[in-house]
Each structure stands twice: as structure tokens, then as C-alpha cells.
Amino acid sequence: MMWQVLVGLLCLVFCAGCAVPRAPLPPQTTEETTVRTITPVDIATMLAQFTADFPGFRLVYKDSASQRCRTFGATISVPANWGSFSPGNQYVRLVHEGAHLRQFAEWGEVGFLARYALSAGRRAIEQAAFQAEMVAVVEVYGAGILRGRRNVYIGYFTGADYEYMWRSPAGAAAAWVDAVIRQLTGGE
């Protein structure tokens, strides 16, 4: 049990939040792939809201080639090439990380770490963040893009990306993802 806690804490330090490379979202260039066009002003507004809501909020750029985002406390670390991401992709990622900011604010660092160290706690933390992300995907890109990402989301929950946080029962992660997709797309 102690080794699981230590692994969970190490995972948090190195991989918390959007810790895995994201499957790319389409560019916002055609009406077919865009429901709501996100602009740099929208991103600036979102960051200003984070600053108002979370004392000490910082957005920092990592000095690595990693395409991963990470949240710890009131800090979101983003890839060094963050500026090359489309505003839509930035928005979707910031919505996910914003869920983690709220969790840290509610539970504190110790409370967050205690939950994240256990697979069931990590799953619940990431369910909230990924559900928020899926809402953002529909908002920006539409229901079809979300449905097309179904297996990507299932993989986040069942694979090594988040330390196999959804171990059993078989098919439960897929059932949860499918239920969220149905809810967000009107059962389509």
C-alpha cells in the first residue's frame, strides 16, 4: 500500500493533469469543424478569470519539447510551444486544467495529493476534468469531433497514461465515456 502512495505522489509530480500527449484536435478553419470560434481574447479572458479566482495563479512555459500540460496548486505548466497551439486547442486544455485548479482550491495540495495517490481518487479527479474537457470539445468543435475521440478518452482511463486508474470492471470506463458523450450530444 505504501508503495502505491509513493508511486501516486511521484506520478502527480511528473504527470498530473493533462500529463499525456493529447490526440490533436482539428484546426478551426472550416465551418464543419467549428461550432464556436475561440480567439486569443477568449484565452486572455479565461486566464484573467483564473487570476481572479485562484490566488497566486500562474501560467508557466516548460523548457522541454513535451506537449503535456500539468497543474499543481495554482500553477498550470504548458508546453514551450503553447503559442503555436490553436486558440481552440488552448481553450480545451485550459478547461481541463481549470477543473484541476478548482480541485486544488477546494482540497488543498495535501488533500489533492492524498486523492490522486489512489487509483480510485485519481479516476474521480480526472473524470471531473475530462468531463469538463468534453463539454469544451462539443462547445468548440461539435458533437461529431467528441464522438470521434471516444477511444482516446477511454484510453486515458484504461491505459498507462494515468497509471491504469480504471482497472475494473471491464468496460466500465467505456460505459462512463459513452454516457457522457450521450449526455453532451443529446443521445445522438
Side-chain angles (χ1 to χ4, degrees):
M1 177 65 170
M2 184 55 125
W3 70 268
Q4 290 176 318
V5 171
L6 291 173
V7 169
L9 291 174
L10 289 173
C11 180
L12 175 65
V13 170
F14 295 108
C15 346
C18 167
V20 293
R22 294 289 194 209
L25 288 161
Q28 291 189 287
T29 55
T30 66
E31 290 182 23
E32 297 84 43
T33 59
T34 302
V35 175
R36 174 182 169 211
T37 300
I38 302 296
T39 68
V41 171
D42 296 316
I43 301 303
T45 301
M46 182 180 233
L47 294 174
Q49 190 63 54
F50 286 166
T51 300
D53 292 346
F54 306 106
F57 170 74
R58 296 180 314 141
L59 183 77
V60 298
Y61 296 85
K62 296 185 288 183
D63 292 332
S64 73
S66 172
Q67 297 301 297
R68 300 170 180 186
C69 295
R70 188 175 90 190
T71 298
F72 189 82
T75 301
I76 298 175
S77 299
V78 296
N81 65 339
W82 181 250
S84 70
F85 288 33
S86 73
N89 198 333
Q90 288 180 353
Y91 178 81
V92 168
R93 290 186 185 209
L94 287 173
V95 165
H96 179 111
E97 299 307 322
H100 293 315
L101 288 173
R102 285 184 286 287
Q103 292 162 339
F104 271 105
E106 180 179 349
W107 303 323
E109 290 177 5
V110 172
F112 186 95
L113 287 169
R115 287 169 175 84
Y116 208 87
L118 304 171
S119 63
R122 189 166 48 256
R123 180 179 69 230
I125 286 168
E126 293 301 341
Q127 277 180 294
F130 277 113
Q131 185 162 0
E133 177 180 315
M134 288 190 262
V135 169
V137 168
V138 171
E139 178 184 352
V140 176
Y141 296 103
I145 296 298
L146 178 62
R147 283 192 291 278
R149 294 175 58 81
R150 174 188 182 270
N151 290 335
V152 171
Y153 288 114
I154 293 168
Y156 289 146
F157 284 96
T158 59
D161 298 335
Y162 286 90
E163 301 296 318
Y164 304 96
M165 65 183 149
W166 206 317
R167 296 180 183 183
S168 64
W176 179 81
V177 169
D178 289 341
V180 173
I181 290 172
R182 275 192 309 279
Q183 175 189 5
L184 296 177
T185 62
E188 298 175 20

